[in-house]
Amino acid sequence: MDSCELTPNAGYDTRVPVLGSREIVSPLPCVAASEERQAVFTIDEELVDEFVTPRSMSFELAGPRNRLYFDPGKTKCAIVTCGGLCPGINDVIRAIVMTAFNAYRVPAVLGIRYGLQGFIPSYGYGVLELTPRLVEGIQEFGGTILGTSRGPQCPSEIVAALERLNISVLFIIGGDGTMKAAASIREEIDKRGKRISIIGIPKTIDNDINFVPHSFGFETAVDKAADAIRCAHVEAASVFNGIGIVKLMGRESGFIAANAALSMRETDFVLVPEVPFALEGERGLFPALEQRLAAHGHAVLAVAEGAGQDLLSCPDTPCDASGNKALGDISGFLRTRIAAHFSARSIPYYLKYIDPSYTIRSVPANANDRLYCGFLGQHAVHAAMSGKTGMVVAKIMDKFVHLPLELVTRKRRTLNTHSDLWQSVLETTGQHL
């Protein structure tokens, strides 16, 4: 398998594999990115937390190419969606289908049902033939028309299914675990000497994909999380010593909680997985909460689901189908301990709890996320038709680029507590935990 000639960046290989030489003239009348142009970015610790000092890195620009590897009239594509729901999945599906048919006139795009399980014959799921008519209007709905599932499946069975279906291009929409699965599928394809393109579109509501500043659907999630914080503030401010607790998604990364708190600047405490906190003591949550109530008569807490796990006694937590450890219920723990703390001190309080998690991830994407999803889908098709493989499409700053799977699966991105973002949270809330 060939690779385009790009220079590795300080130990980070940004080269994107290609299946072979491109011999077919593109049918597109206007080609903006004719060859392998690069964009150079300054990457700092806000995007990659291990970069203590900023680094210049170059990435291959996304976009259509003058010449293609695949003959459009003989190319069959497939799309699969995996993992948890996220606003905008249907938008990406629609963009892939419309670009494949309208720009390249491919003969067929198949939808694989219920995630990677859809490739495995024993599950008995059929495939869905996706056409422009079928995907018309799906962007108005949340979720995914293809269905989804969690958990690994055998790469050899998946590749065997791709061969049976005569698939030339597979678009995989999913998060960190799904991108690792995509890398395994590509390895199996290479072992068999097949020429099948694997293109990832990173999806995570937690915004924790390495090297990806904002994943699609994240802006919608922050928007809806801010609505929940607004409701909690109204509830808390309407009674004496009202306490509003909002549970937000974020297993290992507190991006939703941090950004929603900055959007709705009525939050007094933001609890995230990256920052341990104590309940009692000089810098404890409960003394700070008492002071806030004494000064303002109400308080609002935004709590990421992965925050404070060290405070919970969960020695044998099971894992879900994706291999993620089951989290302890930090919000339930806080509600119980807050009640005990204030009752023991005969301090009146009123506590209101809001959990919008499933609402947030199930809603349709907002206008900005729809625009983002559309470009991701389009650029994914352009990359695939030019023979790219083992990569994802991402937006860094204002440029859409190609990133190798090995780069985005090195680790999960977390909120850098020395970043401007977290400093803004501290300045807005005034918390000193």
Side-chain angles (χ1 to χ4, degrees):
M1 184 173 296
D2 301 324
S3 293
C4 57
E5 295 300 322
L6 298 180
T7 303
N9 296 268
Y12 288 80
D13 193 348
T14 63
R15 291 173 296 180
V16 173
V18 293
L19 294 172
S21 61
R22 298 189 287 268
E23 306 292 342
I24 298 168
V25 177
S26 172
L28 275 63
C30 177
V31 179
S34 58
E35 293 304 330
E36 312 306 349
R37 295 185 299 154
Q38 298 179 61
V40 179
F41 303 94
T42 299
I43 307 297
D44 60 20
E45 60 186 358
E46 291 213 31
L47 181 56
V48 181
D49 55 13
E50 61 199 78
F51 286 10
V52 179
T53 57
R55 306 186 191 185
S56 291
M57 298 189 71
S58 61
F59 299 100
E60 185 179 284
L61 281 171
R65 269 47 178 179
N66 280 329
R67 290 185 171 272
L68 310 178
Y69 174 78
F70 288 109
D71 183 343
K74 301 173 183 176
T75 301
K76 185 188 288 187
C77 304
I79 306 173
V80 64
T81 57
C82 308
L85 298 181
C86 176
I89 301 176
N90 280 337
D91 298 77
V92 176
I93 294 171
R94 183 179 185 277
I96 291 172
V97 172
M98 299 303 287
T99 305
F101 277 97
N102 293 340
Y104 293 99
R105 307 296 180 188
V106 301
V109 178
L110 300 182
I112 307 302
R113 306 299 306 276
Y114 302 110
L116 297 179
Q117 292 178 359
F119 287 108
I120 312 303
S122 61
Y123 285 98
Y125 304 137
V127 297
L128 182 65
E129 187 162 349
L130 300 172
T131 64
R133 181 66 180 271
L134 182 67
V135 300
E136 183 178 347
I138 64 172
Q139 72 275 10
E140 300 296 332
F141 303 95
T144 163
I145 62 165
L146 298 179
T148 185
S149 65
R150 295 185 182 273
Q153 302 297 330
C154 178
S156 62
E157 288 193 70
I158 293 172
V159 177
L162 291 172
E163 292 179 301
R164 286 194 303 272
L165 293 168
N166 195 28
I167 299 298
S168 299
V169 177
L170 175 62
F171 299 101
I172 303 183
I173 305 171
D176 177 73
T178 303
M179 294 302 107
K180 290 177 180 176
S184 297
I185 294 167
R186 187 210 151 197
E187 288 176 9
E188 179 64 24
I189 289 171
D190 288 349
K191 287 179 185 177
R192 299 186 181 207
K194 300 299 179 181
R195 300 285 173 163
I196 302 174
S197 172
I198 301 296
I199 306 292
I201 298 94
K203 168 204 65 68
T204 166
I205 202 167
D206 290 349
N207 202 40
D208 60 357
I209 296 287
N210 203 29
F211 276 92
V212 178
H214 283 92
S215 53
F216 75 82
F218 177 69
E219 183 175 305
T220 304
V222 170
D223 196 20
K224 295 303 179 182
D227 287 343
I229 291 174
R230 179 186 295 109
C231 294
H233 176 255
V234 170
E235 290 282 351
S238 298
V239 295
F240 178 70
N241 277 1
I243 302 171
I245 298 179
V246 181
K247 177 185 175 184
L248 297 172
M249 303 189 84
R251 296 184 56 87
E252 299 177 25
S253 309
F255 290 109
I256 290 180
N259 282 273
L262 291 175
S263 174
M264 271 301 301
R265 295 178 183 253
E266 304 291 353
T267 313
D268 303 295
F269 302 96
V270 180
L271 307 180
V272 296
E274 296 88 343
V275 182
F277 62 94
L279 299 181
E280 308 285 359
E282 182 180 353
R283 297 174 69 88
L285 174 63
F286 292 165
L289 186 54
E290 279 190 49
Q291 293 173 14
R292 167 67 194 184
L293 292 179
H296 298 276
H298 66 276
V300 176
L301 293 78
V303 183
E305 61 183 329
Q309 294 298 301
D310 59 308
L311 301 175
L312 307 175
S313 55
C314 306
D316 299 313
T317 53
C319 294
D320 64 18
S322 297
N324 300 312
K325 279 192 173 182
L327 297 174
D329 183 9
I330 183 61
S331 54
F333 172 80
L334 288 176
R335 281 145 53 201
T336 300
R337 293 296 299 272
I338 288 172
H341 177 88
F342 284 93
S343 296
R345 288 158 177 74
S346 299
I347 300 174
Y349 70 95
Y350 171 87
L351 196 151
K352 188 68 175 182
Y353 171 64
I354 298 176
D355 179 359
S357 301
Y358 288 97
T359 301
I360 287 174
R361 73 178 201 167
S362 302
V363 300
N366 65 17
N368 281 343
D369 268 328
R370 284 184 179 178
L371 183 65
Y372 185 21
C373 291
F375 282 121
L376 287 175
Q378 289 172 343
H379 287 308
V381 176
H382 294 319
M385 295 305 296
S386 66
K388 305 294 181 182
T389 188
M391 55 148 281
V392 304
V393 180
K395 185 179 183 182
I396 298 180
M397 298 179 190
D398 62 340
K399 304 290 187 184
F400 285 91
V401 297
H402 299 159
L403 302 178
L405 281 169
E406 290 77 9
L407 199 64
V408 299
T409 56
R410 288 175 70 134
K411 59 177 293 187
R412 285 189 177 181
R413 192 166 76 97
T414 57
L415 192 160
N416 190 304
T417 56
H418 302 290
S419 65
D420 291 341
L421 173 63
W422 187 245
Q423 182 61 33
S424 296
V425 170
L426 298 181
E427 292 172 1
T428 298
T429 61
Q431 69 186 55
H432 299 285
L433 304 180

